[in-house]
Every structure is written in structure tokens, then in C-alpha cells.
Amino acid sequence: MKKGIALAFSLFSALSYADPAIFKMELGTTTEDQVKSMYSAKQTGVNKYSLGNMYDIPTGEVSFEGLKELTAIFDKNGVLVGVLTTFNKSKFDYLNQAIGGKYKLVSQRIPFVGDKSATYRDGATEISLNAPHMGFDMSMNYLRDELTQAFNKQTEAEKRAKQNKETSQL
């Protein structure tokens, strides 16, 4: 009996800490080889923040209405740390409702007129939806915390370097 309870608890704990999956790719778990076996992924370069490979995945292979672009980002160990998507802006309400039923809402801004956005969280992954008012497309990005932190760190370093360069000219 105690073993059964312990097993059930450990399975529940593992599921509650799992990161989300999008289009059959689980962040923090899925590898480059797995993505290449699922899709005709084309390598597009190395991500300057994760230092891992990036791949474009043909949207026709995913078969999700309104999906225009799909990019998978890996870390230097070949593990999925980000998925960037572009959709028709008309999908915002549908995607927001679908994601809202699965993940914890962190913030949301949906004015009658203007830019729409929503941010959700699951484990070590942030899911963001952004639909600019003056555009036809929206983005939905799944980013692991380590990718976001590397982006923020490098962006700040680049900003400081630019300021130092400008200051040295005065």
C-alpha cells in the first residue's frame, strides 16, 4: 500500500514539474535528433543566446490553421529551449483561450483597440502571445528560463558596451 502511494505521488510530482509541449516537442526534453525525425527541419544557424542550433520547421507538416512560421531553438547540448511561432493575428483569442485552459496566467492585456498580449507560465517555461495592433501577424513563443536569462544578460551587455563606446567619444 505504501509503495503504491509513493509511486502515485512520484508520478504526480513528475507530471506537475514537466515543461509544456508544443507540436509534439517538449521544452527542456526534446532533442535535435528527435525534432529532425519528426519534421523536415532545416537548420538556419546558431542562436546567439543559447549557442545551440536553430531550425525552421515547415508549417504544412504541423497542420495547424493560421500557422505561418515555426522555429525551434536548442541549447549547446542539443536540447529544445525555445519555440517561436507566427500566426495570423485573428488567432489571438483562440490561442489565448486554449493556452489559458492549460497554463497559469501571469499577465494579460487585451484592450478593445491596441496591442494584445498575454503571458503564461508552466514549469521553467514562459509562454507569450503578442498581437500588435498595427499588423497582420502575431507571435506565440515558448521560452525556457535559461534562454530568456541568456537573452537578457547579452542584451544588457550589448547596451553597456554601446554606452561605453559612446561615452569614450565625448
Side-chain angles (χ1 to χ4, degrees):
M1 176 72 169
K2 289 181 182 180
K3 288 181 183 179
I5 292 172
L7 178 62
F9 180 73
S10 66
L11 288 174
F12 176 74
S13 297
L15 291 175
S16 65
Y17 292 112
D19 279 309
I22 177 171
F23 306 128
K24 300 186 279 181
M25 301 180 290
E26 184 177 340
L27 279 87
T29 303
T30 302
T31 65
E32 284 184 63
D33 290 336
Q34 289 171 322
V35 168
K36 289 190 282 189
S37 72
M38 288 188 283
Y39 302 111
S40 303
K42 178 184 174 193
Q43 185 176 351
T44 58
V46 174
N47 185 276
K48 77 179 204 176
Y49 307 109
S50 70
L51 304 177
N53 292 327
M54 296 189 309
Y55 293 87
D56 280 344
I57 297 171
T59 58
E61 294 182 21
V62 176
S63 186
F64 195 99
E65 187 178 329
L67 179 62
K68 291 182 169 185
E69 295 176 13
L70 175 58
T71 302
I73 301 172
F74 295 87
D75 65 13
K76 60 186 173 188
N77 298 318
V79 176
L80 185 67
V81 292
V83 176
L84 312 177
T85 66
T86 302
F87 284 91
N88 290 320
K89 186 167 74 171
S90 62
K91 296 293 275 189
F92 182 88
D93 292 332
Y94 171 76
L95 293 169
N96 191 35
Q97 183 179 13
I99 290 172
K102 294 177 71 174
Y103 307 117
K104 181 183 177 197
L105 179 65
V106 174
S107 67
Q108 183 168 262
R109 187 173 190 282
I110 306 178
F112 182 70
V113 175
D115 298 346
K116 293 181 179 181
S117 65
T119 303
Y120 295 89
R121 191 127 193 75
D122 187 38
T125 301
E126 183 176 276
I127 301 118
S128 64
L129 288 87
N130 291 295
H133 175 64
M134 299 300 286
F136 299 106
D137 295 334
M138 63 160 287
S139 65
M140 179 177 70
N141 300 325
Y142 284 57
L143 303 173
R144 296 256 314 161
D145 290 340
E146 61 261 27
L147 178 58
T148 303
Q149 290 165 359
F151 170 80
N152 292 338
K153 184 178 177 181
Q154 182 147 348
T155 302
E156 185 60 36
E158 290 170 357
K159 181 180 172 184
R160 279 193 308 273
K162 179 182 176 191
Q163 288 173 341
N164 289 341
K165 181 180 177 184
E166 289 175 350
T167 302
S168 70
Q169 295 179 47
L170 300 176

